[in-house]
Each structure stands twice: as structure tokens, then as C-alpha cells.
Amino acid sequence: MTPLQVFLFFILFSSFSKADPLQDFCVADLNFPQGLAGYPCKSLSNVTVDDFVFTGFRNPGNTSNMNMFSITPAFVAQWPAVNGLGISVVYAEMAPGGRVPVHTHPGGTELIVVIEGTIIAGFISSSNKAYTKKLEAYEAMIFPQGLLHFQVNSGSVKAKLLVSFSSPNPGVQIISTALFGNDLSSEILEEVSSIDVAEVKKLKAMFGGTN
């Protein structure tokens, strides 16, 4: 199967598994706050075919940043049609040497499909076993919900990926930013991390943390 075929199969499977037998869809009305079950539905009289089409991938993000990585998300905030369907999509690019730092998505399982380039990807299980693999074009990998995972461009050309989630809003927490970009006391962080307080302060300065 091609990367696109694998990707479309995952989208179709996820959508069918989340289907609501009481209604066909629930295009989000972003004028209201999001609740635990998602956004309220847009009035059917205002729904058009354009609600089900996303064109944002035409303009990918800039990889000229510290991680040399960009994402163009199609979560519910960018694509209201995914509301309640248990699916969302991201287009990602990594420049040579680029990386996606260790992070987690508390709200959904992730599937990546490499479209171009070569990456090293992996995740760490709750028993602290690492599962890593070199992926090339036409290959895919799944990161189970909530587990720490990462990607690194190990090739000499830009890597391009399609990424799907089993949630319209999977959330994200980057571990380095969570640890050192917060306002927790450096002395407490030293105690709970076993990292010397001087090094903690250096890392806080690097990631924008305080105290």
C-alpha cells in the first residue's frame, strides 16, 4: 500500500468506529465554548460542502526554528467538521536534522505516514521499553495514546509526513517544556528530578521557565 492508501484506511476505520448512529455529523459551532463532548453542532441549514473540505495543507509551516520542524494542523479549531468524529489530521515537515521533541498526546492515538524522506521514530511504553524504527517513504507507525514519542529526520532531504489522530483535539505536552518551562521552584524541581539546581536554572532559562 502507498502512504496515502495507509493513511486513508486509518481515517476511514477511525471514523467508522466513532460514528454516532443518531446523526450523520456535527460540524462544530466555534462561537460556543468547547465542552467535554466537544462543540455544539452548527445548524444544519448553515452547513455546506465547504465545511467538509480542508485546504490549509496548501501552505505548510516554516521549518526555520529551533527544532527545524513545522506542522499544519487540522484539529477541530481549524476544521470544525471533525467535531465528534474521533479523527483529525496534521501535515508535518522536518528539515534535515530536524526533530519533534519527546512529547505526548493525552487525548488520542497517533498514526504517522512518511510521504517523503527518512526519519527515526519511536515511543516509550509505560514499562519504560523503547520501540524505535527507521522509517522511509511508504512506511507508517502508530504511537499509542498517552505514551511518550518522538521523530528525528535522519536523512539528507526534507521529510514530509501525514499524521492522523483518533481525536479531533488530541492535545500535546512537550516533556522538556513541561519540566523546565514552568513556574515551579527550581529547588523543588531539583528534589523531584535529581538534577542539580544550577543546571535546573540553566534549563529554565533555556525553555522560558521562572523561579
Side-chain angles (χ1 to χ4, degrees):
M1 297 176 73
T2 68
L4 184 57
Q5 288 172 325
V6 173
F7 188 70
L8 290 174
F9 174 81
F10 180 76
I11 288 178
L12 289 171
F13 177 80
S14 297
S15 297
F16 292 154
S17 67
K18 296 289 184 177
D20 184 343
L22 299 180
Q23 60 188 79
D24 294 329
F25 51 80
C26 176
V27 177
D29 188 338
L30 302 181
N31 292 312
F32 293 91
Q34 184 177 21
L36 292 177
Y39 287 93
C41 303
K42 183 177 179 180
S43 172
L44 283 176
S45 62
N46 294 325
V47 173
T48 72
V49 66
D50 290 335
D51 287 306
F52 302 98
V53 177
F54 184 76
T55 60
F57 298 149
R58 294 175 180 172
N59 302 301
N62 192 339
T63 57
S64 299
N65 53 63
M66 182 176 69
N67 292 315
M68 296 181 284
F69 169 74
S70 73
I71 65 168
T72 305
F75 299 137
V76 66
Q78 295 82 27
W79 196 5
V82 303
N83 186 51
L85 296 181
I87 195 73
S88 58
V89 191
V90 164
Y91 173 72
E93 293 188 350
M94 273 187 286
R99 64 272 183 185
V100 183
V102 176
H103 64 287
T104 179
H105 301 288
T109 291
E110 175 180 345
L111 179 146
I112 63 170
V113 181
V114 179
I115 303 302
E116 294 181 18
T118 303
I119 69 171
I120 294 174
F123 67 89
I124 302 170
S125 73
S126 58
S127 59
N128 293 325
K129 178 175 175 56
Y131 296 84
T132 62
K133 184 74 174 180
K134 180 179 179 181
L135 301 175
E136 299 181 342
Y138 303 96
E139 296 181 337
M141 188 170 185
I142 286 178
F143 306 125
Q145 180 172 340
L147 296 185
L148 301 175
H149 59 282
F150 66 90
Q151 297 97 39
V152 177
N153 185 344
S154 58
S156 59
V157 300
K158 180 179 287 186
K160 299 179 180 181
L161 302 89
L162 281 173
V163 185
S164 185
F165 296 91
S166 62
S167 168
N169 191 18
V172 63
Q173 187 170 40
I174 298 173
I175 303 309
S176 53
T177 303
L179 282 174
F180 304 109
N182 59 58
D183 60 355
L184 185 64
S185 161
S186 294
E187 288 73 23
I188 293 178
L189 194 50
E190 177 187 31
E191 292 294 328
V192 299
S193 68
S194 300
I195 301 174
D196 179 79
V197 68
E199 189 64 27
V200 167
K201 290 181 178 180
K202 289 180 182 178
L203 290 167
K204 275 183 167 282
M206 180 185 302
F207 290 99
T210 58
N211 296 329

